[in-house]
Amino acid sequence: TCALPIFADILRGRHPGRWWIFLGAYLVVWQVVAVGGALVQALLAATGLDHGRTSSFVTVGVLALAGAYQFTSLKQQCLTACNAPMQWFLAHWRDGVGGAFSMGVRQGATCVGCCWALMALALVGGAASWWLMAVLTVVMLAEKIETATRLSRLVGVALLVASAVVAVASLTSTTAPSHHHHNTAPLQEEPA
């Protein structure tokens, strides 16, 4: 996160332990998110929703949710905070060890607010898919560098379109008539 070096600069020469407390609190938030993601993945696997036709409905839902989230004010607020960490610290500064912990948790939650919906795509795309993870990482980094909301909205439109495409493909494969080949060989007459 961009806030880590800024916080280190603010504390330079004094209270170095507070930086570690801030970092630890920040990482605790991400650990909770990682455990939550693993539990959701296990639940999908246990219920069979990660295989076959049902997975396409989960995929449609996750793509639509991630796409719609790109347009929310919460997403934009989190991106603004990530793009301007010094302003974030000025607005949310807390003194002492408890303050460092509180700011770490809050900064972690802000960072999660930027990324959680895009990271949820790993649930349907497979966390082992290196190319998907690479694309998502590039998008998340680009969003944090880009100060305008244009990129975020373009990503949202792309995800909503992808959701619609998967939904249509799933429906057409479900309703497509199945062509079974019946045995049309003539019946042999039994010898008299």
Side-chain angles (χ1 to χ4, degrees):
T1 176
C2 304
L4 293 175
I6 297 291
F7 192 58
D9 285 344
I10 293 170
L11 294 177
R12 181 166 293 158
R14 55 195 173 95
H15 312 299
R18 290 186 190 165
W19 186 87
W20 290 104
I21 291 166
F22 177 89
L23 175 62
Y26 176 87
L27 293 176
V28 163
V29 172
W30 277 105
Q31 269 310 115
V32 169
V33 171
V35 169
L39 289 174
V40 169
Q41 187 70 50
L43 181 65
L44 290 174
T47 57
L49 292 176
D50 62 339
H51 296 298
R53 218 166 257 162
T54 34
S55 68
S56 62
F57 297 115
V58 173
T59 301
V60 168
V62 172
L63 285 168
L65 178 66
Y69 183 69
Q70 295 294 105
F71 295 94
T72 64
S73 60
L74 179 59
K75 168 79 177 193
Q76 298 312 316
Q77 288 169 7
C78 291
L79 279 178
T80 300
C82 282
N83 289 331
M86 183 57 85
Q87 285 87 342
W88 186 90
F89 278 115
L90 290 173
H92 300 96
W93 186 261
R94 300 289 179 271
D95 287 323
V97 170
F101 184 84
S102 171
M103 288 188 296
V105 168
R106 194 161 186 170
Q107 181 60 213
T110 299
C111 199
V112 169
C114 287
C115 307
W116 74 267
L118 292 174
M119 292 176 71
L121 297 174
L123 293 174
V124 295
S129 174
W130 66 267
W131 65 268
L132 174 65
M133 299 311 290
V135 168
L136 291 175
T137 300
V138 168
V139 168
M140 287 184 269
L141 288 173
E143 277 189 332
K144 291 186 181 191
I145 295 167
E146 176 74 42
T147 55
T149 58
R150 183 174 53 218
L151 175 63
S152 181
R153 290 182 178 158
L154 283 172
V155 171
V157 168
L159 291 171
L160 290 172
V161 168
S163 174
V165 168
V166 172
V168 169
S170 176
L171 288 173
T172 55
S173 70
T174 304
T175 58
S178 59
H179 299 287
H180 295 294
H181 295 289
H182 298 289
N183 187 2
T184 55
L187 293 175
Q188 301 260 340
E189 290 184 12
E190 291 184 14

